[in-house]
DNA sequence: TATCTTTATTGTAATATCACGTTATCACAA
DNA sequence: TTGTGATAACGTGATATTACAATAAAGATA
């Protein structure tokens, strides 16, 4: 049905999948990379960098925003995006811990 | 179009997204967890553990197999699945490095 | 005010994904 | 060889995702 049965999985499983799902598209990986490499990065920069149309980039940005990985600063007509480092680090640990737990379980 | 323009992204971006995409569904997180916790785990165990139908579990297993995260041992009519720890660890480092690189870029 | 820039929203077409019933396959057992 | 149990493959319906054109909204600037 294209519809995920979230209710049959626990919070940890859903949260983990929500984060990795957002990272599960090369355009979003590229967007996150580009923002991290350019201090004042707006939507047009990302359109140029990725080669995708502006609405497509905007859509991907909104997915990334949903998990609070981005901050935005309005400056005139521009919106400059940046990575929320606290959130990034939290997710880094969360995903790494997932892998480590799997590994530890296997070795019992 | 529901179709990802993989060709406009580089190998690193596509590879990273391919891994996280597979982890981007709670059923697959649950399946990986369950396999790691049970030494002799077959498809029926996963059907019971997740509450999903057998074909659905089989489909998710095949997604996880595509990135070589699983090994399988045929034993009579059973197939016992296990995590490939080398691949797991490789992916753990790859994803963690992605996060770290983003973090480092931001701090320049 | 009128216009330009930048970004978000809306609408839509094409494709992918999720879930499962049904069927096929394959190993073993009676 | 017939049946049973386990898994994969096939087919299909429902929903989600990806991508973009067109449009709207909101802030500059002439």
């Amino acid at each position: 049905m294209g519809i995920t049965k979230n209710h049959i999985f626990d919070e940890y499983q859903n949260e983990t999948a929500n984060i990795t799902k957002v990272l599960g598209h090369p355009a979003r990986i590229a967007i996150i990379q580009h923002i991290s490499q350019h201090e004042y990065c707006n939507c047009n920069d990302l359109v140029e960098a990725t080669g995708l149309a502006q609405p497509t980039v905007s859509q991907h940005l909104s997915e990334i925003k949903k998990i609070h990985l981005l901050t935005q600063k309005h400056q005139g007509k521009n919106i400059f995006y940046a990575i929320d480092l606290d959130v990034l680090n939290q997710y880094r640990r969360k995903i790494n811990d997932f892998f480590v737990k799997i590994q530890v379980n296997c070795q019992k």
Side-chain angles (χ1 to χ4, degrees), chain A residues 11-22:
Chain A
E11 211 176 299
Y12 175 83
Q13 289 158 348
N14 279 310
E15 278 178 6
T16 306
N18 272 344
I19 298 165
T20 47
K21 192 176 181 182
V22 171

Side-chain angles (χ1 to χ4, degrees), chain A residues 9-57:
Chain A
F9 303 105
D10 67 29
E11 211 176 299
Y12 175 83
Q13 289 158 348
N14 279 310
E15 278 178 6
T16 306
N18 272 344
I19 298 165
T20 47
K21 192 176 181 182
V22 171
L23 301 178
H25 193 292
R28 293 193 284 267
I29 296 291
I31 287 171
I32 292 170
Q33 283 180 325
H34 196 265
I35 291 176
S36 78
Q37 288 160 349
H38 300 86
E39 198 174 354
Y40 294 99
C41 172
N42 69 1
C43 187
N44 279 339
D45 296 338
L46 295 167
V47 169
E48 223 180 295
T50 58
L52 293 168
Q54 180 269 321
T56 308
V57 169

Side-chain angles (χ1 to χ4, degrees), chain A residues 16-105:
Chain A
T16 306
N18 272 344
I19 298 165
T20 47
K21 192 176 181 182
V22 171
L23 301 178
H25 193 292
R28 293 193 284 267
I29 296 291
I31 287 171
I32 292 170
Q33 283 180 325
H34 196 265
I35 291 176
S36 78
Q37 288 160 349
H38 300 86
E39 198 174 354
Y40 294 99
C41 172
N42 69 1
C43 187
N44 279 339
D45 296 338
L46 295 167
V47 169
E48 223 180 295
T50 58
L52 293 168
Q54 180 269 321
T56 308
V57 169
S58 194
Q59 205 172 267
H60 283 302
L61 279 171
S62 117
E63 291 301 310
I64 305 173
K65 281 185 222 166
K66 272 187 197 157
I67 59 166
H68 312 105
L69 205 49
L70 292 184
T71 62
Q72 36 183 311
K73 226 181 257 178
H74 293 252
Q75 205 150 116
K77 23 181 186 173
N78 288 281
I79 299 179
F80 294 115
Y81 300 98
I83 307 292
D84 188 321
L85 284 178
D86 285 342
V87 173
L88 183 84
N89 202 40
Q90 185 190 318
Y91 291 169
R92 184 185 62 74
R93 277 197 306 260
K94 194 175 174 75
I95 304 302
N96 198 66
D97 284 358
F98 167 74
F99 278 110
V100 169
K101 273 182 210 153
I102 297 299
Q103 193 164 10
V104 169
N105 286 340

